């Protein structure tokens, strides 16, 4: 068999984590691992003998990974990347008290309305610059694919503006930005829910479809937000507009959102803090990925942090994400992995699988990214660590030394090589 000529080879990794779907240990650990890439694709990953049998390495650029760990690029499958302003005053005040009356007495602006006003008033360029700083941080922490939601406009113009900024970010950075329309993040204070639902169906979703600027439609299904019937109506309208369903559900109550997600075979159901066992089993049977968000549980001192064990026992594929947003300003999936292991009792291998292949499946990209296997996209990272458990053990430091995105080195020695996405 003729060997494929490789353009890039990562050689002699102390540990290679392929995160292959069928790996018994969840991470596909290979000692002294090698990876060969040709163009944007992985040719081979495994031992030196396996890689040299599949690829001609004579002309390849070589990345020395001796004493280091090689893993797939992280897939951050739930973020609110584009928003205006900050809620740091509220966050700092809530460290001392969550009493609404006390916060009002102090004159502390609180809630989603603060972000909606800031996002509506910001120009497209201002939103781009603010979000670019967050996206750059994500890339430096090893993330190569990011999902970004709208939802801080609750009007047609601003929702579309957020989605357009996502597209601009993907053109500017070597990161895939997957857009989700979350017009159903709430509804304006001066509008009834029913009137706003009509606006979503008749104006917003048709505009999103016409401009082709989103892939998914999401809704916040919870007590005080949209109920199960509302959520089904929104997600079915999204399907009619060509958008695959995702759902925020079970964050603070169980009102039937998981059942809606299962019946519509949604790409993912996110949060799940209050979702009962039978609903988790329904999600698993329908092939829905469950997305855990340890960052927001930590940031808000959640009274009932999500428990991954019943999800695992139900057979649910798990993903981890930052939920980067004004209430959880987090750009590091490594920090989320640490929280997931310490606070939610995931094992390091389980957490790594969830932040790579699990995240890819939550975005319906499990056949393309999330693992280091022949034919998949060449997205990987190299950590300056000798074993993968150190990622959880070394608190507060960024071990990401190199990031490769679609076969090109995007981060070298912890610095961006170039901002422009050369693959577009």
């Amino acid at each position: 068999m003729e060997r494929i000529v490789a353009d890039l080879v990562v050689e002699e990794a102390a540990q290679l984590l392929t995160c292959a779907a069928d790996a018994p240990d969840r991470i596909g650990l290979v000692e002294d691992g090698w990876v060969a890439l040709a163009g944007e694709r992985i040719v081979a990953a495994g031992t030196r003998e396996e890689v040299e049998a599949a690829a001609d390495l004579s002309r390849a650029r070589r990345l020395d990974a001796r004493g280091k760990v090689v893993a797939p690029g992280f897939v951050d499958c739930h973020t609110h990347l584009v928003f205006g302003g900050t809620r740091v005053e509220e966050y700092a005040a809530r460290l001392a008290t969550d009493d609404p009356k006390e916060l009002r007495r102090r004159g502390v602006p609180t809630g989603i309305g603060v972000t909606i006003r800031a996002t509506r008033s910001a120009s497209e360029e201002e939103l781009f610059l603010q979000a670019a700083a967050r996206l750059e941080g994500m890339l430096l922490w090893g993330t190569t694919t990011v999902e970004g939601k709208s939802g801080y406009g609750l009007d047609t113009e601003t929702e579309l503006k957020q989605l357009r900024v996502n597209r601009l970010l993907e053109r500017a950075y070597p990161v895939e930005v997957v857009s989700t329309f979350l017009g159903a993040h709430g509804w304006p204070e001066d509008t009834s829910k029913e009137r706003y639902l009509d606006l979503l169906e008749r104006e917003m979703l048709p505009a999103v479809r016409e401009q082709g600027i989103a892939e998914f439609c999401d809704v916040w299904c919870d007590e005080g937000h949209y109920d199960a019937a509302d959520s089904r109506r929104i997600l079915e309208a999204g399907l009619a507009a060509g958008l695959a369903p995702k759902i925020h559900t079970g964050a603070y109550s169980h009102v039937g959102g998981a059942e809606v997600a299962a019946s519509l075979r949604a790409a993912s159901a996110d949060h799940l803090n209050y979702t009962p066992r039978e609903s988790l089993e329904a999600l698993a049977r329908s092939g829905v990925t469950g997305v855990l968000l340890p960052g927001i549980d930590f940031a808000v001192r959640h009274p009932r942090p999500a428990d991954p064990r019943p999800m695992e026992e139900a057979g649910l594929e798990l993903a981890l994400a930052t939920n980067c947003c004004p209430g959880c300003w987090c750009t590091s999936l490594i920090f989320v992995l640490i929280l997931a292991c310490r606070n939610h009792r995931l094992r390091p291998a389980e957490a790594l699988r969830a932040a790579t292949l699990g995240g890819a499946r939550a975005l319906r990209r499990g056949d393309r990214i999330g693992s280091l296997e022949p034919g998949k996209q060449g997205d990987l990272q190299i950590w300056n660590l000798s074993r993968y458990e150190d990622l959880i053990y070394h608190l507060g430091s960024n071990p990401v030394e190199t990031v490769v995105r679609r076969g090109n080195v995007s981060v070298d020695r912890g610095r961006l090589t170039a901002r422009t996405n050369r693959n577009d």
Side-chain angles (χ1 to χ4, degrees):
M1 184 179 70
E2 187 175 349
R3 294 183 299 165
I4 299 172
V5 177
D7 300 306
L8 181 70
V9 59
V10 181
E11 57 187 8
E12 299 187 74
Q15 293 183 332
L16 167 67
L17 314 181
T18 68
C19 295
D22 59 354
D25 64 355
R26 312 303 299 276
I27 52 173
L29 174 63
V30 179
E31 304 282 351
D32 188 20
W34 291 54
V35 184
L37 300 92
E40 299 180 0
R41 299 290 162 187
I42 296 168
V43 175
T47 65
R48 177 175 184 170
E49 291 74 20
E50 290 169 336
V51 170
E52 288 184 337
D56 177 355
L57 308 180
S58 61
R59 286 176 276 177
R61 175 184 177 183
R62 292 176 178 266
L63 297 180
D64 185 356
R66 281 178 293 181
K68 299 171 185 176
V69 178
V70 176
F74 289 134
V75 181
D76 196 348
C77 62
H78 181 130
T79 87
H80 303 256
L81 178 62
V82 178
F83 59 85
T86 175
R87 299 231 297 271
V88 64
E89 187 178 358
E90 174 185 356
Y91 189 88
R94 287 187 182 276
L95 296 175
T97 179
D98 282 321
D99 183 356
K101 291 182 180 179
E102 178 60 20
L103 293 171
R104 283 195 297 270
R105 188 190 69 77
R106 296 185 190 181
V108 178
T110 63
I112 189 174
V114 176
T115 304
I116 289 171
R117 290 187 289 273
T119 306
R120 285 179 176 178
S121 64
S123 68
E124 204 165 287
E125 181 180 6
E126 289 169 334
L127 289 176
F128 173 86
L129 292 173
Q130 291 177 45
R134 293 187 280 271
L135 185 62
E136 197 167 300
M138 291 173 172
L139 176 57
L140 291 171
W141 283 92
T143 296
T144 51
T145 301
V146 175
E147 184 260 13
K149 305 178 190 294
S150 66
Y152 289 117
L154 305 187
D155 62 35
T156 305
E157 178 185 354
T158 311
E159 294 291 319
L160 295 176
K161 180 172 63 175
Q162 287 185 267
L163 295 172
R164 286 195 300 270
V165 171
N166 276 347
R167 176 173 288 180
L168 294 173
L169 290 165
E170 184 175 38
R171 290 172 180 168
Y173 286 90
V175 180
E176 182 179 14
V177 180
V178 181
S179 286
T180 295
F181 172 66
L182 181 57
H185 203 190
W187 57 90
E189 294 177 355
D190 59 353
T191 304
S192 70
K193 182 172 71 170
E194 188 59 36
R195 180 175 293 182
Y196 185 67
L197 283 168
D198 287 341
L199 181 70
L200 279 168
E201 289 181 306
R202 297 178 183 180
E203 183 177 306
M204 289 187 177
L205 281 166
V208 171
R209 179 174 189 170
E210 181 181 353
Q211 295 188 25
I213 52 176
E215 183 175 339
F216 296 98
C217 178
D218 201 343
V219 57
W220 188 354
C221 181
D222 218 326
E223 188 175 322
H225 296 274
Y226 292 98
D227 62 23
D230 298 329
S231 299
R232 180 178 295 278
R233 174 180 170 183
I234 292 162
L235 295 179
E236 287 181 345
L239 281 166
L243 305 180
K246 295 173 77 71
I247 192 168
H248 290 57
T249 188
Y252 293 98
S253 63
H254 177 64
V255 297
E259 286 73 15
V260 172
S263 68
L264 296 178
R265 298 189 178 276
S268 71
D270 305 23
H271 290 285
L272 303 177
N273 301 62
Y274 285 84
T275 305
R277 175 65 178 264
E278 60 271 20
S279 301
L280 296 173
E281 291 173 349
L283 291 172
R285 286 194 299 271
S286 297
V288 181
T289 299
V291 180
L292 299 182
L293 304 169
I296 193 67
D297 285 0
F298 170 79
V300 303
R301 284 194 299 252
H302 200 292
R304 185 169 169 174
D307 183 357
R309 284 296 151 237
M311 303 176 196
E312 288 270 357
E313 292 165 3
L316 192 63
E317 176 79 40
L318 294 184
L320 287 170
T322 60
N323 193 26
C324 180
C325 68
C328 178
W329 196 299
C330 176
T331 58
S332 169
L333 259 173
I334 292 176
F335 176 63
V336 169
L337 287 163
I338 291 168
L339 294 177
C341 292
R342 173 52 66 193
N343 292 347
H344 299 257
R345 300 301 181 105
L346 278 179
R347 301 175 185 89
E350 293 172 329
L352 282 165
R353 158 77 172 239
T356 52
L357 186 59
R361 287 177 167 172
L363 297 178
R364 293 188 171 168
R365 282 162 168 74
D367 60 335
R368 287 185 274 163
I369 58 174
S371 62
L372 303 180
E373 299 177 86
K376 282 199 167 184
Q377 194 164 281
D379 296 356
L380 60 83
Q381 54 182 318
I382 303 175
W383 304 329
N384 189 19
L385 303 170
S386 60
R387 52 186 294 170
Y388 74 89
E389 295 96 336
D390 282 331
L391 193 73
I392 308 302
Y393 179 56
H394 290 190
L395 305 178
S397 60
N398 183 358
V400 178
E401 185 175 89
T402 303
V403 177
V404 175
R405 158 84 174 136
R406 286 168 64 171
N408 292 314
V409 176
S410 303
V411 174
D412 184 28
R413 297 185 181 93
R415 295 185 177 183
L416 291 179
T417 58
R419 200 186 84 175
T420 303
N421 191 340
R422 291 168 292 174
N423 293 296
D424 289 335

